[in-house]
């Protein structure tokens, strides 16, 4: 076919048809550049597991009215944050119908559907997509500049002016380029999740939802003291339940990840929601959780990194967002690469527009603002003592102790602090720290 | 595991060197692997089957000894296929 | 549609035909269909359609046969346009591709195998006289495996089904086929072309397409065979009843003999001497085979001593 670019040279090669890769290819194709996406799975999304909610406003100006075409499961109108111990739970529940109308806020969606859809958008814009192909390494010239990738297909060495690594967490390309350490357990968490089948009407009844509306719950304190948290998201006729735990904590505890999901499903606050649900899929995936301070350099000569490959998931207790950051970064990387190609300078300096664009938009600004969050949320005090403290405090405030008079809040707080060996000094300091981190 | 599709490739994409594992004190992989693929053997080594792997990367990240795990992705199109994700 | 500008009789895409025609008859399907445990309803996702292992073997055998004969491969599938990405894979491997539009090709055992085979045979004949037609021996869409035999009938070709190996004789149009028999025996058949063969996924895997070919074929329109007006549906050969709970027939079992104590002893085997399980650490293949043979020997399973070794 005449419009197929010659296979041995492209303006850009994008590795990985996840949200970052498809967004990057979309931006390049829109700029009129020849671009091929290489994906190792048989279809985009087949290798990807996440929690379940995508915040897609980032697509507003690239795919107008995206909400009319996206393969959505439910629009999230309720967000809860749950602090729990083995037998207690304190929930903060936010509901607004505004999130159920265009332009919407969050949606639940299956990755197999969403990633395929986004890749289709890139292909429709003129990008090529080759699936079932692993990029096994980088091709570099004498100066170390990246000039292409190797793939595991016969005759699979490809040349391009820019390579954009969107190959997700574990990015072997970023590792090969020397941007990421080989293994870094301290800055990664493991997410395991079950997809549980329940009829749509049952989900709507149990979670107080109208058809098409969804709920998103983030939980803390449900991981046997291993730093991490849990989540529950509603799809049309399934519910995602899972936990995210620190790799070092998990390894040291000797607890199996499935046990943590089993615990969560049996928790008295969660079990009634899931009664009678059958497991449809179990999966696992890593999350880069180092935040801003663990992010690698984002560009090298002829080479850009975007999305999870560059550690861009914002995972800090109240948030578990990565897809939106990946799309934001992918779009910026694609545009920067297109501009650099047009300028004829694809060195790291020529590609510097990428980082500038990210610093100017939410991707790096959010990460920078919340740079202290991962450490704070995963800290031992936050994970064990404060969870207990909050649950006990709430329980005692609402326990009617007649004929004793009600104790004062401060007294309860101090009593709880003493019981859980929390020093008031730490409490105050962490309070200030939290205010600073989440300011 | 029965809920997930695995297109098993002919090549083992992860190879564990049981000789290195014999001197490992943590055996962190055994409990951390979400697919439960690392089985300790009576002689202190590790028996590993690659077929039902999620390709998550947990094992090489938590591994205690350099060189015990040789980790690559399966060949294109092979390996785990998630339907929901 | 794909055949819009290509005239009344669409030519299959791919290299123009030279030499003998080898047809790979494929049945791409969702390899993991969901069955609702309550209603028995089967849900297939077209976007996940792929070749089953035996269809992959069929395509690989076709490519090898065409190479040996200097011929061309036609990859043929019946079904909706959702199958086209699978046929693109065959195009990337150098085959031509053709899709027969067929709406109920994947309705499992209820498919009208006679009509489907007639439509496939008609499409094959249209593409030219085939030297060899290779099918997978097992249908991922729960068919009953009658299609290859019916195609052979329609084409008036020889048939050899359920093969574990298939090689072609380079100099003559003869196919050497191997098939399992009971008791570990095999039979080797010499089948004259034109022939229809169905193969198991034994010993071969589909080769991978070169990158450039995969790129070129992706998104290429797959031509559609002209509709077969002559093929009249005769209705399904199998009728499927509604799902019912499984009710096995009751089986009369003789009442137990002897006292409770004796029965308990016999059931638990506590007084019977037996070897404790033994773990023989990771061994090389040779030692492991030796261990297994010794064990079988020691437990009276040694092979009958005869002239054959
Ligand atoms: C348990 C869990 C829960 C999460 N929950 C949420 C959530 O609720 N909301 C949210 O927004 N984010 C969530 N995230 C984060 C989100 O999944 C990621 O941030 C996002 O997927 C990153 O997109 P990406 O395109 O950078 O990488 P990925 O989505 O990982 O895509 C990488 C792609 O590259 C391919 N690939 C990798 N290596 C190669 C190679 N060598 N050759 C060819 N192809 C290759 C892969 O197959 C994959 O398709 C969660 C993550 C996890 C693990
Ligand atoms: S942690 Fe590493 S070295 Fe230790 S047993 Fe597991 S694979 Fe072997
Ligand atoms: S990659 Fe993940 S699933 Fe596979 S063996 Fe390692 S830890 Fe287990």
């Amino acid at each position: 076919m005449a419009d197929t670019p010659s296979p041995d040279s492209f303006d850009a090669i994008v590795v990985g048809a996840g949200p970052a890769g498809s967004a990057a290819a979309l931006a390049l194709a829109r700029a009129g550049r020849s671009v091929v996406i290489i994906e190792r799975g048989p279809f985009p999304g087949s290798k990807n597991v996440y929690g379940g909610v995508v915040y897609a406003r980032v697509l507003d100006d690239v795919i107008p009215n995206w909400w009319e075409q996206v393969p959505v499961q439910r629009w999230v109108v309720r967000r809860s944050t749950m602090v729990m111990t083995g037998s207690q739970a304190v929930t903060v529940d936010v509901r607004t119908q505004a999130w159920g109308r265009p332009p919407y806020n969050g949606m639940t969606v299956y990755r197999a559907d969403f990633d395929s859809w986004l890749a289709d958008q890139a292909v429709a814009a003129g990008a090529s997509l080759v699936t079932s192909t692993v990029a096994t390494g980088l091709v570099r010239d004498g100066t170390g500049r990246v000039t292409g990738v190797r793939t595991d297909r016969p005759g699979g060495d490809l040349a391009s002016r820019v390579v954009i690594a969107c190959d997700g967490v574990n990015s072997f390309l970023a590792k090969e380029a020397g941007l990421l350490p080989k293994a870094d357990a301290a800055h990664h968490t493991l997410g395991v999740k079950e997809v549980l089948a329940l009829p749509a009407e049952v989900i709507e009844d149990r979670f107080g939802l109208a058809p098409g509306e969804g709920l998103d719950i983030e939980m803390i304190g449900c991981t046997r003291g291993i730093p991490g948290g849990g989540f529950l998201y509603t799809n049309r006729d399934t519910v995602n339940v899972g936990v995210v735990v620190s790799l070092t904590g998990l390894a040291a505890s000797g607890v199996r990840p499935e046990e943590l999901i089993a615990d969560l499903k049996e928790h008295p606050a969660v079990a009634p929601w899931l009664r009678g649900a059958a497991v449809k899929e179990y999966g696992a995936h890593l999350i880069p959780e180092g935040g801003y301070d663990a992010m690698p350099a984002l560009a090298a000569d002829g080479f850009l990194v975007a999305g999870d490959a560059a550690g861009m998931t914002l995972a800090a207790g109240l948030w578990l967002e990565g897809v939106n950051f990946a799309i934001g970064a992918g779009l910026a990387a694609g545009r920067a690469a297109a501009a650099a190609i047009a300028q004829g300078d694809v060195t790291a300096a020529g590609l510097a527009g990428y980082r500038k664009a990210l610093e100017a938009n939410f991707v790096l600004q959010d990460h920078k603002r919340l740079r202290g969050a991962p450490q704070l949320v995963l800290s031992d005090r936050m994970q064990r003592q404060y969870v207990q403290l909050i649950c006990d405090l709430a329980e005692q405030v609402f326990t009617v102790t007649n004929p004793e008079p009600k104790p004062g809040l401060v007294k309860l707080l101090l009593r709880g602090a003493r019981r859980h060996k929390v020093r008031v000094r730490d409490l105050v300091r962490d309070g200030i720290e939290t205010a600073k981190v989440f300011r | 595991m029965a809920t997930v599709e695995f297109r098993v490739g002919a090549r083992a994409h992860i190879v564990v060197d049981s000789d290195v594992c014999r001197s490992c004190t943590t055996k962190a992989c055994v409990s951390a692997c979400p697919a439960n693929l690392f089985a300790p053997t009576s002689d202190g080594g590790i028996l590993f089957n690659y077929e039902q792997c999620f390709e998550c990367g947990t094992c090489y990240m938590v591994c205690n000894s350099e060189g015990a795990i040789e980790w690559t992705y399966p060949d294109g199109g092979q390996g785990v296929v998630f339907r929901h994700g | 549609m794909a055949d819009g500008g290509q005239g009344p009789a669409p030519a299959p895409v791919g290299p123009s035909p030279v030499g003998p025609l080898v047809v790979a008859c494929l049945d791409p399907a969702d390899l993991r269909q969901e069955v609702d445990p309550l209603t028995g309803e089967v849900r297939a996702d077209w976007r996940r359609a792929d070749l089953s292992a035996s269809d992959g073997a069929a395509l690989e055998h076709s490519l090898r046969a065409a190479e040996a004969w200097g011929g061309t491969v036609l990859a043929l599938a019946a079904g909706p346009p959702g199958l086209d990405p699978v046929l693109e894979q065959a195009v990337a491997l150098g085959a031509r591709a053709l899709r027969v539009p067929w709406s109920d090709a994947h309705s499992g055992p209820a498919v009208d195998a006679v009509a489907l085979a007639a439509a496939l045979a008609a499409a094959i004949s249209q593409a030219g006289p085939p030297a060899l037609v290779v099918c997978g021996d097992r249908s991922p869409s729960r068919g009953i495996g009658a299609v290859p035999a019916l195609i052979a009938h329609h084409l008036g070709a020889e048939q050899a089904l359920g093969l574990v190996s298939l090689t072609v004789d380079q100099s003559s149009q003869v196919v050497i086929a191997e098939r399992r028999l009971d008791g570990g025996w095999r039979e080797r058949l010499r089948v004259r072309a034109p022939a229809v063969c169905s193969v198991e996924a034994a010993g071969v895997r589909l080769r991978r397409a070169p990158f450039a070919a995969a790129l070129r074929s992706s998104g290429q329109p797959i031509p559609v065979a002209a509709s077969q007006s002559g093929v009249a549906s005769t209705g399904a050969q199998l009728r499927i009843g509604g799902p019912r709970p499984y009710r096995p027939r009751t089986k009369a079992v003789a009442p137990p003999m002897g006292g409770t104590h004796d029965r308990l002893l016999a059931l638990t085997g506590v007084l019977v001497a037996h070897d404790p399980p033994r773990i023989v650490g990771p061994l090389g293949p040779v030692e492991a085979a030796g261990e297994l043979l010794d064990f079988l020997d020691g437990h009276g399973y040694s092979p009958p001593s005869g002239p054959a070794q």
Side-chain angles (χ1 to χ4, degrees), chain A residues 1 4-7 10 36 38 42-43 112-113 116 128-130 132-134 151-156 158 280, chain C residues 32 34 37 43 45 47-50 89 92-93 207-221:
Chain A
M1 272 169 30
T4 319
S6 134
F10 300 91
V36 62
I38 299 172
F43 54 87
D113 296 345
S116 291
S128 307
L129 168 68
V130 179
S132 296
T133 307
V134 185
T151 71
D152 70 339
R153 283 200 186 255
L158 310 175
K280 272 187 105 172
Chain C
R32 265 181 91 89
E34 271 178 33
R43 261 168 271 143
D45 185 347
R47 293 168 308 163
R48 313 285 172 255
D50 208 344
Q89 289 178 30
L93 290 168
R207 66 188 70 179
R208 300 192 63 198
F211 189 88
L215 181 68
R216 235 180 295 117
S217 70
S218 98
Q220 265 216 38

Side-chain angles (χ1 to χ4, degrees), chain B residues 57-75:
Chain B
T58 301
C59 50
Y60 84 82
M61 288 257 183
V62 301
C63 177
N64 189 30
S65 320
E66 183 81 15
I69 298 182
E70 200 184 302
W71 204 99
T72 59
Y73 286 126
D75 295 341

Side-chain angles (χ1 to χ4, degrees), chain A residues 165-312:
Chain A
C166 302
D167 48 345
V169 70
N170 288 318
S171 173
F172 290 107
L173 296 187
K175 285 174 184 170
E176 189 182 333
L179 303 182
L180 282 177
K182 287 254 165 325
D184 183 11
H187 289 132
H188 287 83
T189 52
L190 169 67
V192 285
K193 144 178 137 169
E194 281 182 6
V195 181
L196 302 160
L198 278 177
E201 313 80 63
V202 174
I203 292 179
E204 283 146 19
D205 285 353
R206 289 189 188 172
F207 295 99
L209 302 167
E213 292 181 347
L215 160 73
D216 152 346
I217 309 180
E218 251 76 47
M219 307 174 212
I220 182 165
C222 54
T223 46
R224 297 199 196 171
I226 304 169
F231 57 81
L232 185 154
Y233 302 131
T234 54
N235 299 312
R236 196 175 302 125
D237 51 7
T238 58
V239 175
N240 296 345
V241 178
V243 295
V244 173
V245 283
S246 121
L247 274 184
T248 40
L250 178 73
S253 71
V255 176
R256 297 205 46 75
E258 311 88 283
E259 293 172 36
L260 295 173
I261 299 195
D263 276 9
L264 184 57
K265 283 163 61 181
E266 279 164 19
H267 191 279
V270 176
W273 284 330
L274 303 178
R275 203 181 310 119
V279 181
K280 272 187 105 172
E281 186 168 272
Y282 167 61
H285 207 274
L286 289 186
I287 308 174
E289 201 148 311
Y292 189 78
D293 295 321
M295 251 179 230
L298 300 177
D301 291 345
F303 189 67
L304 289 175
V305 204
D308 273 10
M312 287 178 184

Side-chain angles (χ1 to χ4, degrees), chain A residues 132-435:
Chain A
S132 296
T133 307
V134 185
T136 50
L138 297 171
V139 182
R140 294 201 252 189
D141 68 8
T143 66
R145 188 170 73 93
V146 176
T147 56
V149 297
R150 282 180 228 294
T151 71
D152 70 339
R153 283 200 186 255
D157 284 11
L158 310 175
S160 71
R161 290 199 254 179
V162 181
V163 171
I164 308 184
C166 302
D167 48 345
V169 70
N170 288 318
S171 173
F172 290 107
L173 296 187
K175 285 174 184 170
E176 189 182 333
L179 303 182
L180 282 177
K182 287 254 165 325
D184 183 11
H187 289 132
H188 287 83
T189 52
L190 169 67
V192 285
K193 144 178 137 169
E194 281 182 6
V195 181
L196 302 160
L198 278 177
E201 313 80 63
V202 174
I203 292 179
E204 283 146 19
D205 285 353
R206 289 189 188 172
F207 295 99
L209 302 167
E213 292 181 347
L215 160 73
D216 152 346
I217 309 180
E218 251 76 47
M219 307 174 212
I220 182 165
C222 54
T223 46
R224 297 199 196 171
I226 304 169
F231 57 81
L232 185 154
Y233 302 131
T234 54
N235 299 312
R236 196 175 302 125
D237 51 7
T238 58
V239 175
N240 296 345
V241 178
V243 295
V244 173
V245 283
S246 121
L247 274 184
T248 40
L250 178 73
S253 71
V255 176
R256 297 205 46 75
E258 311 88 283
E259 293 172 36
L260 295 173
I261 299 195
D263 276 9
L264 184 57
K265 283 163 61 181
E266 279 164 19
H267 191 279
V270 176
W273 284 330
L274 303 178
R275 203 181 310 119
V279 181
K280 272 187 105 172
E281 186 168 272
Y282 167 61
H285 207 274
L286 289 186
I287 308 174
E289 201 148 311
Y292 189 78
D293 295 321
M295 251 179 230
L298 300 177
D301 291 345
F303 189 67
L304 289 175
V305 204
D308 273 10
M312 287 178 184
T313 299
L314 182 67
L318 293 176
W319 292 275
L320 184 51
E321 295 174 27
V323 173
N324 46 342
F325 285 91
I327 295 174
L331 289 172
R335 286 173 189 147
I341 292 167
Q343 292 288 319
D345 177 11
V346 293
T347 60
L351 292 166
Y354 173 44
R355 190 172 181 110
K356 282 205 202 83
L358 294 185
E359 303 215 316
N361 75 9
F362 71 101
V363 176
L364 284 184
Q365 287 197 2
D366 284 0
H367 269 290
K368 207 162 175 178
R369 162 162 321 143
L370 294 167
R371 68 201 293 174
Q375 213 188 350
L376 182 72
V377 174
L378 296 180
S379 74
D380 208 43
R381 273 205 297 280
M382 201 59 108
Q383 288 277 329
R384 290 172 191 262
Q385 297 167 329
Y386 294 169
V387 163
Q388 277 287 348
L389 196 63
I390 291 169
C391 287
D392 284 358
L393 191 62
E395 180 179 328
Q396 285 161 9
V397 167
F398 294 113
T399 302
V400 178
T401 52
N402 304 350
E404 301 280 315
K406 293 194 194 306
L409 236 144
V410 174
K411 189 163 158 210
L412 282 177
L413 183 64
L414 292 179
R415 197 197 293 162
R418 211 161 38 243
R419 176 133 69 94
H420 298 299
K421 303 200 176 61
V422 177
R423 283 181 302 186
V424 175
R425 192 164 11 113
D426 286 339
L427 194 62
V428 172
R429 208 184 42 217
D430 285 340
I432 295 171
E433 183 68 17
T434 309

